[in-house]
Amino acid sequence: MPGFELFGAEEKKEVQDVLDNGVLMRYGFDGNRNGHHKALELEKDLATRMQTKYAQVVSSGTAALTVALASAGVGSGDEVIMPTFTFVASFEAILSVGATPILCDIDDTLTLDPKAVEAAITPKTKVIMPVHMCGSMADLNALKSICDTHNLILLEDACQAIGGTYDNKPLGSYGDLGCFSFDYVKTVTCGEGGGLVTNSEKYADHAHKYQDHGHDHIGNDRGAETHPFLGYNYRLSELNAAVGIAQLRKLDKTISLQEKNYNVLRTALTTIPEVTYRKVPKTGVESYAFLTIFLPTEELARKGHKALGKHGVDACFYWFDNNWHYYKKWEHLLEQKSLNKLSQEQQNGLLQNNKAFDQSDSWMSRTISCLIKVSWTEEQVKERASKMVEALKSIL
Ligand SMILES: *Cc1c(COP(=O)(O)O)cnc(C)c1O
């Protein structure tokens, strides 16, 4: 998955453009920038690649989620339904706009279970936020129809699945809003950065203002701009955007390399009947950022994960025990350890999350995900495939 594997002359050239004119900021200084507007260019490229009307780049994936939520008017008293398996950024963004994250079970897609989502809806629910973890996606059709029935916003976190599709649409473009991360370990990286896409003129208009202190971006005199509403600073610098432009151009190549490597590994594993695979919804195509398998029991999954390590198969994850990605280790959220005082609504709402998620546990305890790299040689992929088979057979 990491775009940094493909870092090269293309990225350097884009950065050099910025260094040559010295304008490191995206707004103003037009006389000096020699025609270079890297953040703007990245937004145009992102909207085109994701087949949406609008894109807004920001300083991180977490910022993209935050700006997306704020742009849709989500705030105090609102509940956002999110999965038990995701990165901590999901609830951070929700809390930061004053809303309350409501955890919800996943199914064998390892993303939101539509049935559990329906059960979690209350009069306070405003957003359903599926997270397309590890290169594959939620059942977006089912979630969309729930949103339509209950008049909710569908916000896709596609940070780990950029380049995948659902119903022939790029992941991130299906919902009302979609978010991407360009942090250092993502498929497209610019060091630190993120982006959101939408077809809503209103959300897009809110987003560009909100991420820049509420500036209206009218006219050429930044100092004379007015502020139709409050905002913050989630801007992306021109240096980061420059790297992103070169990286985004490589996305299709990255995905096809990932697919090729994924298929070699998956074909090798078909010789082991005990190994099964996460469910990919019917019209979905993965980004192939990870190969994710189930073993028959928790005990075998734990043993399998250890055996993979021992056989030299690196970058395989047992998320069930992971400190960042699974609700069991989110004590800071569940125990409300916040430096600043949470609102009474958040304090009350968060209590709903202090319960067991048995269905999530039943899938995650059996799950192992292995990162797919793009820089492996054909020889290395073959060797990895046989080591994986050897490792897993040794514990079955
Ligand atoms: C990486 C990631 C984010 C946050 O992105 P940052 O750019 O690191 O802030 C959000 N959600 C998911 C699922 C991620 O993997």
Coordinates of all heavy atoms in Angstrom, one line a residue, residues 35-108:
G35 N 2.8 30.9 -11.8 CA 1.7 30.0 -12.3 C 1.5 28.7 -11.6 O 0.6 28.0 -11.9
H36 N 2.3 28.5 -10.5 CA 2.1 27.2 -9.8 C 1.1 27.3 -8.7 O 1.3 28.1 -7.8 CB 3.5 26.7 -9.2 CG 4.5 26.4 -10.3 ND1 4.2 25.5 -11.3 CD2 5.7 26.8 -10.6 CE1 5.2 25.4 -12.1 NE2 6.2 26.2 -11.7
H37 N 0.1 26.5 -8.8 CA -0.9 26.4 -7.7 C -1.1 25.0 -7.4 O -1.9 24.3 -8.0 CB -2.3 27.0 -8.2 CG -2.3 28.5 -8.4 ND1 -2.6 29.4 -7.4 CD2 -1.9 29.2 -9.5 CE1 -2.5 30.6 -7.9 NE2 -2.1 30.6 -9.1
K38 N -0.2 24.4 -6.6 CA -0.1 23.0 -6.4 C -1.3 22.4 -5.7 O -1.9 21.3 -6.1 CB 1.2 22.6 -5.7 CG 2.4 22.9 -6.5 CD 2.6 22.2 -7.8 CE 3.9 22.6 -8.5 NZ 4.0 22.0 -9.8
A39 N -1.8 23.1 -4.7 CA -3.0 22.5 -3.9 C -4.2 22.5 -4.9 O -5.0 21.5 -4.9 CB -3.2 23.3 -2.7
L40 N -4.4 23.6 -5.6 CA -5.5 23.7 -6.5 C -5.4 22.6 -7.6 O -6.4 22.0 -8.0 CB -5.4 25.1 -7.2 CG -6.7 25.6 -7.8 CD1 -7.8 25.7 -6.8 CD2 -6.5 27.0 -8.4
E41 N -4.2 22.4 -8.1 CA -4.0 21.4 -9.1 C -4.3 20.0 -8.6 O -5.0 19.2 -9.3 CB -2.5 21.5 -9.6 CG -2.3 20.6 -10.9 CD -0.8 20.8 -11.3 OE1 -0.1 21.7 -11.0 OE2 -0.3 19.8 -12.0
L42 N -3.9 19.8 -7.4 CA -4.1 18.5 -6.8 C -5.6 18.3 -6.6 O -6.2 17.2 -6.8 CB -3.4 18.3 -5.4 CG -3.6 17.0 -4.6 CD1 -3.2 15.8 -5.4 CD2 -2.8 17.1 -3.3
E43 N -6.3 19.3 -6.2 CA -7.8 19.2 -6.1 C -8.5 18.9 -7.4 O -9.4 18.1 -7.5 CB -8.4 20.5 -5.5 CG -8.2 20.6 -4.0 CD -8.4 22.0 -3.5 OE1 -8.6 23.0 -4.3 OE2 -8.2 22.2 -2.3
K44 N -8.0 19.6 -8.5 CA -8.6 19.3 -9.8 C -8.3 17.8 -10.2 O -9.2 17.1 -10.7 CB -8.0 20.2 -10.9 CG -8.5 21.6 -10.8 CD -8.1 22.5 -12.0 CE -8.7 23.9 -11.8 NZ -7.7 24.9 -12.2
D45 N -7.1 17.4 -10.0 CA -6.7 16.0 -10.3 C -7.5 15.0 -9.5 O -8.0 13.9 -10.0 CB -5.2 15.7 -10.1 CG -4.4 16.5 -11.1 OD1 -4.9 17.1 -12.0 OD2 -3.1 16.5 -10.9
L46 N -7.7 15.3 -8.2 CA -8.4 14.4 -7.3 C -9.9 14.3 -7.7 O -10.5 13.2 -7.8 CB -8.3 14.8 -5.9 CG -8.9 13.9 -4.8 CD1 -8.1 12.6 -4.8 CD2 -8.8 14.5 -3.4
A47 N -10.5 15.4 -8.0 CA -11.9 15.4 -8.5 C -12.1 14.6 -9.8 O -13.0 13.8 -9.9 CB -12.4 16.8 -8.6
T48 N -11.1 14.8 -10.7 CA -11.2 14.1 -12.0 C -11.1 12.6 -11.7 O -11.9 11.8 -12.2 CB -10.1 14.6 -12.9 OG1 -10.2 16.0 -13.1 CG2 -10.1 13.9 -14.2
R49 N -10.0 12.2 -10.9 CA -9.8 10.8 -10.7 C -10.9 10.1 -10.0 O -11.3 9.0 -10.2 CB -8.5 10.6 -9.9 CG -8.1 9.2 -9.6 CD -7.9 8.3 -10.8 NE -7.6 6.9 -10.4 CZ -8.5 6.1 -10.0 NH1 -9.8 6.4 -9.8 NH2 -8.2 4.8 -9.7
M50 N -11.6 10.9 -9.1 CA -12.7 10.3 -8.3 C -14.0 10.5 -8.9 O -15.1 10.2 -8.3 CB -12.6 10.9 -6.8 CG -11.4 10.5 -6.1 SD -11.1 8.7 -6.1 CE -9.3 8.6 -5.8
Q51 N -14.1 11.2 -10.1 CA -15.3 11.4 -10.8 C -16.3 12.1 -10.0 O -17.5 11.8 -10.0 CB -15.9 10.1 -11.3 CG -14.9 9.3 -12.3 CD -15.3 7.9 -12.5 OE1 -16.5 7.6 -12.4 NE2 -14.4 7.1 -12.9
T52 N -15.9 13.1 -9.2 CA -16.8 14.0 -8.5 C -16.7 15.4 -9.0 O -15.7 15.8 -9.6 CB -16.4 14.0 -7.0 OG1 -15.1 14.3 -6.8 CG2 -16.7 12.6 -6.3
K53 N -17.7 16.2 -8.6 CA -17.7 17.6 -9.1 C -16.6 18.4 -8.3 O -16.0 19.3 -8.8 CB -19.0 18.2 -8.8 CG -20.1 17.8 -9.8 CD -21.3 18.7 -9.7 CE -22.5 18.1 -10.4 NZ -23.7 18.5 -9.8
Y54 N -16.4 18.1 -7.0 CA -15.5 18.9 -6.2 C -14.5 18.0 -5.4 O -14.9 16.9 -5.0 CB -16.4 19.7 -5.2 CG -17.5 20.5 -5.8 CD1 -18.8 20.0 -5.8 CD2 -17.2 21.7 -6.5 CE1 -19.8 20.7 -6.4 CE2 -18.3 22.4 -7.1 CZ -19.6 21.9 -7.1 OH -20.6 22.6 -7.7
A55 N -13.4 18.7 -5.1 CA -12.4 18.1 -4.1 C -11.8 19.2 -3.3 O -11.7 20.3 -3.8 CB -11.4 17.3 -4.9
Q56 N -11.5 18.9 -2.1 CA -10.8 19.9 -1.2 C -9.7 19.1 -0.5 O -9.9 18.1 0.1 CB -11.8 20.4 -0.1 CG -11.2 21.3 0.9 CD -10.8 22.6 0.3 OE1 -11.6 23.3 -0.4 NE2 -9.5 23.0 0.5
V57 N -8.5 19.6 -0.7 CA -7.3 19.0 0.0 C -7.1 19.7 1.3 O -7.3 20.9 1.4 CB -6.0 18.9 -0.9 CG1 -6.2 18.0 -2.1 CG2 -5.6 20.3 -1.3
V58 N -6.7 19.0 2.3 CA -6.4 19.5 3.6 C -5.2 18.9 4.2 O -4.5 18.1 3.5 CB -7.6 19.3 4.5 CG1 -8.8 20.2 4.2 CG2 -8.1 17.8 4.6
S59 N -4.9 19.2 5.5 CA -3.6 18.8 6.1 C -3.5 17.4 6.5 O -2.4 16.9 6.8 CB -3.3 19.8 7.3 OG -4.4 19.7 8.1
S60 N -4.6 16.6 6.6 CA -4.5 15.2 6.9 C -5.8 14.5 6.6 O -6.8 15.2 6.3 CB -4.2 15.0 8.4 OG -5.3 15.4 9.2
G61 N -5.8 13.2 6.7 CA -7.0 12.4 6.6 C -8.0 12.7 7.7 O -9.2 12.8 7.5
T62 N -7.4 12.9 8.9 CA -8.3 13.3 10.1 C -8.9 14.6 9.8 O -10.1 14.8 10.1 CB -7.4 13.3 11.3 OG1 -6.6 12.1 11.4 CG2 -8.2 13.4 12.6
A63 N -8.1 15.5 9.3 CA -8.7 16.9 9.0 C -9.8 16.8 7.9 O -10.8 17.5 8.0 CB -7.6 17.8 8.5
A64 N -9.6 15.9 6.9 CA -10.6 15.7 5.9 C -11.9 15.2 6.5 O -13.0 15.8 6.1 CB -10.1 14.7 4.8
L65 N -11.8 14.3 7.4 CA -13.1 13.8 8.1 C -13.7 14.9 8.9 O -14.9 15.1 8.9 CB -12.7 12.6 9.0 CG -12.3 11.3 8.3 CD1 -11.7 10.4 9.3 CD2 -13.5 10.7 7.6
T66 N -12.9 15.7 9.6 CA -13.4 16.8 10.4 C -14.0 17.9 9.5 O -15.2 18.3 9.8 CB -12.2 17.5 11.2 OG1 -11.5 16.4 11.9 CG2 -12.6 18.5 12.1
V67 N -13.4 18.3 8.5 CA -13.9 19.3 7.6 C -15.2 18.8 6.9 O -16.2 19.5 6.7 CB -12.8 19.7 6.5 CG1 -13.5 20.6 5.5 CG2 -11.7 20.4 7.2
A68 N -15.2 17.5 6.5 CA -16.4 16.9 5.9 C -17.6 17.0 6.8 O -18.7 17.4 6.4 CB -16.1 15.5 5.5
L69 N -17.4 16.6 8.1 CA -18.4 16.6 9.1 C -18.9 18.0 9.3 O -20.1 18.3 9.3 CB -18.0 16.0 10.4 CG -17.7 14.5 10.4 CD1 -16.9 14.1 11.6 CD2 -19.1 13.7 10.4
A70 N -18.0 19.0 9.5 CA -18.4 20.4 9.7 C -19.1 20.9 8.5 O -20.1 21.6 8.7 CB -17.1 21.2 10.0
S71 N -18.6 20.6 7.3 CA -19.3 21.1 6.1 C -20.7 20.6 6.0 O -21.5 21.3 5.3 CB -18.5 20.7 4.9 OG -17.2 21.2 4.9
A72 N -21.0 19.4 6.5 CA -22.4 18.9 6.4 C -23.2 19.4 7.7 O -24.3 18.9 7.9 CB -22.3 17.4 6.4
G73 N -22.6 20.2 8.5 CA -23.4 20.8 9.6 C -23.5 19.9 10.8 O -24.4 20.1 11.6
V74 N -22.6 18.9 10.9 CA -22.7 18.0 12.0 C -22.0 18.6 13.2 O -20.9 19.1 13.1 CB -22.0 16.6 11.6 CG1 -22.0 15.6 12.8 CG2 -22.6 16.1 10.3
G75 N -22.7 18.5 14.4 CA -22.1 19.1 15.6 C -22.7 18.6 16.8 O -23.2 17.5 16.9
S76 N -22.8 19.5 17.8 CA -23.3 19.2 19.1 C -24.6 18.5 19.1 O -25.6 18.9 18.5 CB -23.3 20.5 19.9 OG -23.8 20.2 21.2
G77 N -24.7 17.3 19.8 CA -26.0 16.6 20.0 C -26.2 15.6 18.9 O -27.1 14.7 19.0
D78 N -25.4 15.7 17.8 CA -25.5 14.7 16.7 C -24.8 13.4 17.0 O -23.7 13.5 17.5 CB -25.0 15.3 15.4 CG -25.8 16.5 14.9 OD1 -27.0 16.6 15.3 OD2 -25.3 17.4 14.3
E79 N -25.3 12.3 16.5 CA -24.6 11.0 16.6 C -24.1 10.6 15.3 O -24.9 10.7 14.3 CB -25.5 10.0 17.2 CG -25.9 10.3 18.7 CD -26.8 9.2 19.3 OE1 -27.3 8.3 18.6 OE2 -27.0 9.3 20.5
V80 N -22.9 10.1 15.2 CA -22.3 9.5 14.0 C -22.0 8.1 14.2 O -21.3 7.7 15.2 CB -21.0 10.3 13.6 CG1 -20.4 9.7 12.4 CG2 -21.3 11.8 13.5
I81 N -22.6 7.2 13.4 CA -22.4 5.8 13.5 C -21.1 5.4 12.8 O -21.0 5.6 11.6 CB -23.6 5.0 13.0 CG1 -24.9 5.3 13.8 CG2 -23.4 3.5 12.9 CD1 -26.1 4.7 13.3
M82 N -20.2 4.7 13.5 CA -18.9 4.3 13.0 C -18.6 2.9 13.4 O -19.1 2.4 14.4 CB -17.8 5.3 13.4 CG -17.7 5.5 15.0 SD -16.2 6.2 15.5 CE -15.0 4.8 15.5
P83 N -17.7 2.2 12.7 CA -17.4 0.8 13.0 C -16.5 0.6 14.2 O -15.7 1.5 14.5 CB -16.8 0.3 11.7 CG -16.2 1.5 11.1 CD -17.1 2.7 11.5
T84 N -16.5 -0.6 14.8 CA -15.6 -1.0 15.8 C -14.2 -1.2 15.3 O -13.2 -1.2 16.1 CB -16.1 -2.3 16.5 OG1 -16.3 -3.2 15.5 CG2 -17.3 -2.1 17.3
F85 N -14.1 -1.4 14.0 CA -12.7 -1.7 13.4 C -12.4 -0.5 12.5 O -13.1 -0.3 11.4 CB -12.8 -3.0 12.6 CG -11.5 -3.3 11.9 CD1 -10.2 -3.1 12.4 CD2 -11.6 -3.8 10.6 CE1 -9.1 -3.4 11.7 CE2 -10.4 -4.1 9.8 CZ -9.2 -3.9 10.4
T86 N -11.5 0.4 12.9 CA -11.1 1.5 12.1 C -9.9 2.1 12.8 O -9.4 1.6 13.8 CB -12.2 2.6 12.0 OG1 -11.7 3.7 11.3 CG2 -12.8 3.0 13.3
F87 N -9.4 3.2 12.2 CA -8.3 3.9 12.9 C -8.9 4.9 13.9 O -10.0 5.4 13.7 CB -7.5 4.6 11.8 CG -6.3 5.4 12.3 CD1 -5.4 4.8 13.1 CD2 -6.1 6.7 11.9 CE1 -4.3 5.5 13.5 CE2 -5.0 7.4 12.3 CZ -4.1 6.8 13.2
V88 N -8.2 5.3 14.9 CA -8.7 6.2 15.9 C -9.1 7.6 15.4 O -9.9 8.3 16.0 CB -7.6 6.5 17.0 CG1 -7.4 5.2 17.9 CG2 -6.3 6.9 16.4
A89 N -8.6 7.9 14.2 CA -9.0 9.2 13.5 C -10.5 9.3 13.4 O -11.1 10.4 13.5 CB -8.4 9.3 12.2
S90 N -11.2 8.2 13.2 CA -12.7 8.3 13.0 C -13.4 9.0 14.2 O -14.1 9.9 14.0 CB -13.3 6.9 12.9 OG -12.7 6.2 11.8
F91 N -13.1 8.5 15.4 CA -13.8 9.1 16.5 C -13.2 10.5 16.9 O -13.9 11.3 17.4 CB -14.0 8.2 17.7 CG -12.7 7.6 18.3 CD1 -11.9 8.4 19.1 CD2 -12.4 6.3 18.1 CE1 -10.7 7.9 19.7 CE2 -11.2 5.8 18.7 CZ -10.4 6.6 19.5
E92 N -11.9 10.6 16.6 CA -11.3 12.0 16.9 C -12.0 13.0 16.1 O -12.3 14.1 16.6 CB -9.8 11.9 16.5 CG -9.0 11.1 17.4 CD -7.6 10.8 16.9 OE1 -7.2 11.2 15.8 OE2 -6.8 10.1 17.6
A93 N -12.2 12.8 14.8 CA -12.9 13.8 13.9 C -14.3 14.1 14.4 O -14.7 15.2 14.5 CB -12.9 13.3 12.5
I94 N -15.0 13.0 14.8 CA -16.4 13.2 15.3 C -16.4 14.0 16.5 O -17.2 15.0 16.6 CB -17.1 11.8 15.5 CG1 -17.1 11.0 14.2 CG2 -18.4 12.0 16.1 CD1 -17.4 9.5 14.3
L95 N -15.6 13.7 17.5 CA -15.5 14.4 18.7 C -15.1 15.9 18.5 O -15.6 16.8 19.2 CB -14.5 13.8 19.7 CG -15.0 12.4 20.3 CD1 -13.8 11.8 21.1 CD2 -16.2 12.6 21.3
S96 N -14.2 16.1 17.6 CA -13.7 17.4 17.4 C -14.7 18.4 16.9 O -14.6 19.6 17.0 CB -12.4 17.4 16.5 OG -12.8 17.3 15.2
V97 N -15.8 17.9 16.2 CA -16.8 18.9 15.8 C -17.9 18.9 16.8 O -19.0 19.6 16.6 CB -17.4 18.5 14.4 CG1 -16.3 18.6 13.3 CG2 -18.1 17.2 14.4
G98 N -17.7 18.2 18.0 CA -18.7 18.3 19.0 C -19.8 17.2 19.0 O -20.7 17.2 19.8
A99 N -19.7 16.3 18.0 CA -20.7 15.2 17.9 C -20.2 14.0 18.7 O -19.2 14.0 19.3 CB -20.9 14.9 16.4
T100 N -21.1 13.0 18.7 CA -20.8 11.8 19.5 C -20.6 10.6 18.6 O -21.5 10.2 17.8 CB -22.0 11.6 20.4 OG1 -22.2 12.7 21.2 CG2 -21.7 10.4 21.4
P101 N -19.5 9.9 18.7 CA -19.3 8.7 17.9 C -20.0 7.5 18.6 O -19.9 7.3 19.8 CB -17.8 8.5 18.0 CG -17.3 9.2 19.2 CD -18.3 10.3 19.5
I102 N -20.8 6.8 17.8 CA -21.5 5.6 18.2 C -20.9 4.4 17.5 O -21.0 4.3 16.3 CB -23.0 5.8 17.9 CG1 -23.6 7.0 18.6 CG2 -23.8 4.5 18.4 CD1 -23.6 7.0 20.1
L103 N -20.3 3.5 18.3 CA -19.7 2.3 17.7 C -20.7 1.3 17.3 O -21.8 1.2 17.9 CB -18.8 1.7 18.8 CG -17.6 2.6 19.3 CD1 -16.7 1.7 20.2 CD2 -16.8 3.2 18.2
C104 N -20.4 0.6 16.2 CA -21.4 -0.3 15.6 C -20.7 -1.5 15.1 O -19.5 -1.4 14.6 CB -22.1 0.5 14.5 SG -23.3 -0.5 13.7
D105 N -21.3 -2.7 15.2 CA -20.7 -3.9 14.8 C -20.3 -4.0 13.3 O -21.0 -3.4 12.5 CB -21.6 -5.1 15.1 CG -21.3 -5.8 16.4 OD1 -20.1 -5.9 16.7 OD2 -22.3 -6.2 17.1
I106 N -19.3 -4.7 13.0 CA -18.9 -5.1 11.7 C -19.4 -6.5 11.3 O -19.7 -7.2 12.2 CB -17.4 -4.9 11.5 CG1 -16.6 -5.9 12.5 CG2 -16.9 -3.5 11.7 CD1 -15.2 -6.1 12.2
D107 N -19.4 -6.8 10.0 CA -19.7 -8.2 9.6 C -18.5 -8.7 8.9 O -17.4 -8.2 9.0 CB -21.0 -8.2 8.8 CG -20.9 -7.3 7.6 OD1 -19.8 -7.0 7.1 OD2 -21.9 -7.0 7.0
D108 N -18.7 -9.7 8.0 CA -17.6 -10.4 7.4 C -17.0 -9.6 6.3 O -16.0 -10.0 5.6 CB -18.0 -11.8 6.9 CG -19.2 -11.8 6.0 OD1 -19.9 -10.7 5.9 OD2 -19.5 -12.8 5.4

